Structures are given as structure tokens and as C-alpha cells.
Amino acid sequence: MNTVVFFSSASNIVPPWGGESRLGDRVLKYVLTTLSKRGEGSIHQTTVYDPLIVFGEGGALAHSGAEMKAPTFFQSDDDLSEATKAMRETIKSADSIIVVSAEYNHSIPPALSSMMGHFGGSCYSCKPSAIVTYSVAPLGGSRAQIALQPMLHELGCLPVSKMVAIPTASETLKEDGTFTDPENRLSSQLPGMLDQLEWMANAMKNHRDANGTF
């Protein structure tokens, strides 16, 4: 199963009060480790898109920037770099999409919406998606989950009903992405969501193969 993971945070400085430049690195490690341990029939070939790399020097969208000066669907293939075309084709060939997102101002981090919005709905359509959010606060980014759902619907990668919210992420997860408390009840959220995502990904792939997309 080809799975694309979009990571939201483009933060690269440590805040004045200390800590990490990107708390989300812990969450991303947790998601990737969990994906790597899924059972037979649910093996994920995973590609991660990180805005620091995608918009950074030499990145697939460096020419356009997070302000989205040049969305790919406004350009012909001759105008696109090989890196941009490769990113587009990877998204297009994905069977499932996972979004790992912080919550900025009760909404979606701009780097994430720009990164995904650079590509048209035909790259995402007829595929399932899943939402993982995190926060330093007790709500775990749940308001970003609500904001992400209409965006994912509009792109055509329909989110499954189960979602993962990781509150007080710096206390809940260690730096290596494992739970500080292995018995934490939150540890059942991600496997349950992936059960839904994989079921939908297999069903939708079978239907795409048989009937194409719209």
C-alpha cells in the first residue's frame, strides 16, 4: 500500500521558553513506527512530505514557496521541475493519505495547506485520508481536525471517521516517539484509525482499478 504522509510544521527555531523547535517530530516518529509494524496485508510503502524540505532550497516546491506563487495545475509539464513532477506522481499513485498536523490559531498550519494545495484534486481523488493532530495543550489539536476535514473533502481524499489527537505531546510522547506511559489509553487511537484507513484504501483501490476515477 502506497501511503503519503504530509507533515505540517515548518518551525525551525527553539522558542524563548525552551523545548524543541518541532514538537511534531515526536508525533511523526510515532506514526511512522506504527505504520512500519502493521501486519501482513497492511504493509505501507511510506513517503513523507516535510515543508522544511519541500519548500527548502532544491525542494519540489521551492520555486513557488509556501505562499503558492505557482500551483502545479496552473502550469504545463514543461514548466515543472523533475522534483515537482515526482512529488505530483507520488501523491497521484498513493493509496492512502495521512496528515500529521499541529494546530495554529485553532486552524491548519499554512505550510500544510499550501503544500497540499499546490496539487489539484485529481491527484487526491477517490482515496481515503486520516488525520493525526497534536498540541502542547489538553485538546490535542482537535480544532485543527475540524478545519482539516473540509479541506480533505474538497481535495477528494475523504477522511475516515476515527481521528488521533495527542494532547500535551511533550509529556505524552518521548523524543523517540514512544509513549511515556506504555499503558496510556491514547495508544489505541492510531491502530484503530489505521484499521479504518487500510480497509478503505483497499476497497477504493479495488474500485479505482475496476472503474477508474471521476
Side-chain angles (χ1 to χ4, degrees), residues 38-109:
R38 297 297 283 175
E40 188 176 348
S42 302
I43 297 172
H44 293 260
Q45 305 296 326
T46 305
T47 302
V48 177
Y49 287 120
D50 179 334
L52 285 180
I53 296 172
V54 171
F55 293 120
E57 186 175 353
L61 300 176
H63 66 288
S64 179
E67 61 267 47
M68 205 159 73
K69 292 178 286 190
T72 59
F73 47 87
F74 281 8
Q75 303 172 79
S76 70
D77 271 11
D78 291 340
D79 297 325
L80 300 176
S81 71
E82 291 304 314
T84 306
K85 286 189 280 190
M87 183 174 178
R88 181 188 63 188
E89 293 310 308
T90 299
I91 297 169
K92 210 166 188 177
S93 65
D95 300 308
S96 63
I97 305 290
I98 299 175
V99 175
V100 179
S101 182
E103 178 181 293
Y104 288 5
N105 300 317
H106 294 189
S107 192
I108 306 167

Side-chain angles (χ1 to χ4, degrees), residues 126-147:
C126 303
K127 300 167 188 175
S129 61
I131 297 169
V132 179
T133 59
Y134 62 92
S135 174
V136 296
L139 295 181
S142 57
R143 289 164 294 206
Q145 292 181 345
I146 302 306

